[in-house]
Amino acid sequence: MALVMGAAGGDGNVPRGALLRALAEAVARWRWEDVGSLRREGAAGMAPRQLSDAILVAAGFNGITRIADAIGIRLDAGTAETSVALRAETGIDGFAPPRKWAAG
Amino acid sequence: MTTAALPVAEAAARTHAATLAAIARPGAWWDGADRLAIVRATRAAPDCALCVARKKSLSPDAAHGEHASEGVLPPIAVEAIHGIRNDSGRLARRWFDHLIDMGLQPEAYVELAAIVASTVIVDTYAQGLGLPQPPLPEAVPGSPSFERSDDVADAGAWVPLAREGRAHILRSLGLVPGASALFFATFNPCYYMRPQQTFAIGRRQVELVAARVSAVNECFY
């Protein structure tokens, strides 16, 4: 989880985790020079199709996070119940302050 | 330094071409020319000086001025597009209410959000591979259908969601079914939305990328 939140180095038991984390971050921030560097770095240990698919997933989540934020959806009840500890550990709840839903 | 482009996934290429073709057609609340203007405004948003100033501010309300715009769309629509494209993690109900108070209809907003987010997916994928943003088709003449679903319910979001669905995100654009179809057709090849979906990277790698992008975008969902 620290790998996801950017608080840990290494691969976090995910194959090529550090590179994929950096690639995801660069794609999400639209830092194309960094993406190009990471593509070259990744080519040493990953197939082009693997890098392409990682970028496809990142592109998709760059879009769907905008839908979630733009529509102001709330967490599903089931997810909220099962992810209390995870959300506390990661600080994700900080991304959903009460003002997000406070009218005028 | 130039970098060779990576291979384009066939399903994604087909889908993304279909997305742009669909955007060029009349929608529910915007015609084809307007929908393509939304795409162009999404693409221009990163260079908007007002958005850059807002992004640097502790609160997005702190910076004032006018958005960079080609002048085709109403200013309130440009505000919505730039907010969703450039600062989605800090969007708030008060901001949405302002858009509505200024005359943007909730249905038009839902469709606009779907177009912006679909554009983000198409362009992010192309540019991530080292390719240019795909060219836009010509607008298809015709009027909007003014389609609005009545099969919606209040689920605590800023707009009503589709009454049925496995998760709020899947219900999110249900107020305008055409907008929902557009966005999820674009998103589907990007994740495990169908049982037959596979990727050249493993499940844990997919989840890591997805989670990291969500964290960078400060999305709680």
Side-chain angles (χ1 to χ4, degrees), chain A:
Chain A
M1 189 46 61
L3 187 67
V4 169
M5 300 309 293
D11 284 337
N13 292 323
V14 177
R16 304 290 290 177
L19 181 127
L20 288 171
R21 183 192 67 184
L23 182 64
E25 184 168 336
V27 170
R29 297 188 193 283
W30 292 299
R31 292 179 177 161
W32 304 125
E33 286 192 12
D34 292 348
V35 173
S37 297
L38 290 160
R39 287 203 312 261
R40 288 191 293 277
E41 182 185 334
M46 297 179 75
R49 182 59 195 269
Q50 291 179 306
L51 290 166
S52 173
D53 276 4
I55 291 168
L56 178 62
V57 173
F61 277 80
N62 234 10
I64 202 164
T65 51
R66 282 172 168 75
I67 292 295
D69 282 329
I71 301 300
I73 57 173
R74 294 177 184 270
L75 202 58
D76 301 273
T79 306
E81 287 173 13
T82 58
S83 63
V84 172
L86 175 74
R87 303 174 73 77
E89 180 189 346
T90 59
I92 285 174
D93 284 335
F95 298 157
R99 68 174 176 274
K100 185 163 182 68
W101 289 279

Side-chain angles (χ1 to χ4, degrees), chain A residues 3-6 13-18 20-21 24-25 27-30 32 35-36 39-40 46 48-77 87 92 95-96 99-104, chain B residues 1 3-4 6-7 9 12 84-85 88-89 91-94 97 109 113-114 117 120-121 124-125 127-130 156-159 161 167-169 172-173 183-184 187 189-191 199-201 204-206 208-221:
Chain A
L3 187 67
V4 169
M5 300 309 293
N13 292 323
V14 177
R16 304 290 290 177
L20 288 171
R21 183 192 67 184
E25 184 168 336
V27 170
R29 297 188 193 283
W30 292 299
W32 304 125
V35 173
R39 287 203 312 261
R40 288 191 293 277
M46 297 179 75
R49 182 59 195 269
Q50 291 179 306
L51 290 166
S52 173
D53 276 4
I55 291 168
L56 178 62
V57 173
F61 277 80
N62 234 10
I64 202 164
T65 51
R66 282 172 168 75
I67 292 295
D69 282 329
I71 301 300
I73 57 173
R74 294 177 184 270
L75 202 58
D76 301 273
R87 303 174 73 77
I92 285 174
F95 298 157
R99 68 174 176 274
K100 185 163 182 68
W101 289 279
Chain B
M1 178 183 228
T3 305
L6 292 169
I84 295 168
R85 164 59 176 77
S88 61
L91 299 183
R93 176 65 191 251
R94 202 159 61 93
D97 287 345
Y109 174 81
V120 164
I121 292 175
T124 301
Y125 182 54
Q127 293 179 285
L129 296 186
W158 302 344
V159 299
L161 307 187
H168 285 176
I169 189 67
S172 59
L173 301 169
F183 175 76
F184 284 103
F187 177 76
C190 304
Y191 193 60
F199 295 98
I201 53 176
R204 283 189 298 156
Q205 292 173 306
V206 167
L208 170 61
V209 170
R212 186 63 194 141
V213 171
S214 298
V216 167
N217 286 332
E218 299 185 1
C219 183
F220 79 99
Y221 189 79

